Amino acid sequence: MTSATDVPQHVAVVMDGNGRWATQRYLPRIAGHRQGVEVLKRMVRACAERDIATLTVFAFSSENWRRPADEVLGLMDILMMALSREVTQMQRDGVQIRFVGSREALSEKIKTGLEKAEALTASNSKIVLNVCFNYGGRWDIANAARQLVALNKEVTEDNLSQTLALAHCPDPDLVIRTGGEKRLSNFLLWQAAYSELYFSELLWPDFDEAALDAALAEYAARERRFGKTSQQLAADAGVAVQN
Ligand code: IPE
Ligand code: IPE
Ligand code: MG
């Protein structure tokens, strides 16, 4: 069987379940988001150790503005806190941080923080960490199309792919969603066209290295056909071996 035996080059994660994790512990939802950052730090390290080149995480969606104002404010505070506390260590660990999403509605302070973090880590190459913040797949596609039109370029699949927010990395091989829901919630609508989808019942703050390895093992056992038949893939692999 032809399978995705390799480690995925690009893993994307919908980090869902922070609120429920906190509620289970009679804590405010924001405590779950704080714990979520701790788990993210561990996951970046774990992915780097497994030679995953790119990790993309969904941290705040275009639709999350609809949450109660105190939760939105709390999430902005956590982002600011993470920017001031975590970036130095990420820099030491060779993490290249990129923020993906619309910056229009963000405060000047946050925008400056994002720019600084990106500039400081721009030449790192151990792992790329894309943090999708104020991101939505529909925004991404419409935004790219708008840019092409403004540049008088044709709206083709190739041109769109090269203009989307994640144009600097290949499409995700594996999309993991924690928290039990089985939906994309407007995450990477274009880029996940052929991603393997993996749903974990674990809430994001409970996700750990063993859970990551279970997802990677399932990924490795899947057959990615990209529209072809299994026989074609076997023949392609045979040719590759002979070469
Ligand atoms: C995901 O966790 C984090 C964000 C959306 C910011 P949730 O806050 O959605 O957690 P649940 O789904 O309510 O448990
Ligand atoms: C998706 O989770 C967004 C992030 C994890 C940042 P949501 O909790 O917002 O998704 P829905 O509302 O359950 O679809
Ligand atoms: Mg949720």
Side-chain angles (χ1 to χ4, degrees):
M1 189 185 87
T2 311
S3 66
T5 42
D6 298 325
V7 174
Q9 279 305 290
H10 183 176
V11 174
V13 185
V14 180
M15 307 183 290
D16 196 22
N18 294 348
R20 278 164 283 167
W21 183 90
T23 304
Q24 281 175 357
R25 287 162 178 75
Y26 306 100
L27 295 168
R29 291 177 58 85
I30 213 70
H33 297 312
R34 252 183 244 122
Q35 189 59 28
V37 175
E38 295 306 310
V39 171
L40 174 58
K41 278 160 40 184
R42 262 181 257 149
M43 279 307 126
V44 176
R45 239 172 281 136
C47 286
E49 281 166 14
R50 285 158 182 75
D51 287 329
I52 292 165
T54 306
L55 174 65
T56 299
V57 295
F58 206 5
F60 189 86
S61 77
S62 318
E63 290 73 33
N64 286 145
W65 295 105
R66 296 174 186 160
R67 293 197 175 190
D70 62 338
E71 182 166 343
V72 171
L73 276 176
L75 284 163
M76 297 298 151
D77 281 349
I78 288 175
L79 174 63
M80 275 310 296
M81 199 82 90
L83 285 169
S84 64
R85 284 191 191 163
E86 313 298 347
V87 174
T88 317
Q89 186 58 43
M90 296 242 173
Q91 159 67 359
R92 276 191 215 122
D93 293 344
V95 182
Q96 184 186 126
I97 310 175
R98 287 174 174 252
F99 290 92
V100 172
S102 172
R103 298 194 186 183
E104 267 172 34
L106 303 179
S107 72
E108 286 307 317
K109 219 168 134 189
I110 289 186
K111 275 191 254 189
T112 309
L114 302 186
E115 283 161 18
K116 271 193 189 160
E118 287 183 332
L120 186 72
T121 64
S123 54
N124 289 342
S125 57
K126 178 69 191 150
I127 185 168
V128 174
L129 172 65
N130 297 306
V131 180
C132 295
F133 198 92
N134 195 17
Y135 174 88
R138 289 179 176 178
W139 163 83
D140 195 3
I141 295 166
N143 189 46
R146 228 181 350 257
Q147 285 184 48
L148 290 178
V149 170
L151 292 168
N152 229 345
K153 283 193 182 168
E154 211 185 330
V155 181
T156 61
E157 289 193 20
D158 278 351
N159 283 345
L160 266 176
S161 295
Q162 286 160 24
T163 312
L164 288 163
L166 286 180
H168 57 280
C169 41
D171 286 343
D173 301 296
L174 173 65
V175 175
I176 298 172
R177 180 170 186 145
T178 64
E181 313 294 356
K182 291 169 186 67
R183 53 177 173 255
L184 286 177
S185 301
N186 203 9
F187 189 46
L188 306 181
L189 297 183
W190 178 279
Q191 298 87 341
Y194 266 102
S195 305
E196 294 300 324
L197 306 180
Y198 181 87
F199 299 100
S200 167
E201 292 299 321
L202 290 175
L203 304 172
W204 175 248
D206 290 327
F207 200 77
D208 57 12
E209 291 199 35
L212 174 66
D213 285 333
L216 296 177
E218 184 168 323
Y219 170 83
R222 299 235 187 128
E223 183 181 58
R224 302 186 75 192
R225 289 192 287 277
F226 298 99
K228 294 184 177 181
T229 66
S230 294
Q231 286 83 347
Q232 283 177 299
L233 295 179
D236 291 351
V239 169
V241 169
Q242 278 164 27
N243 287 345

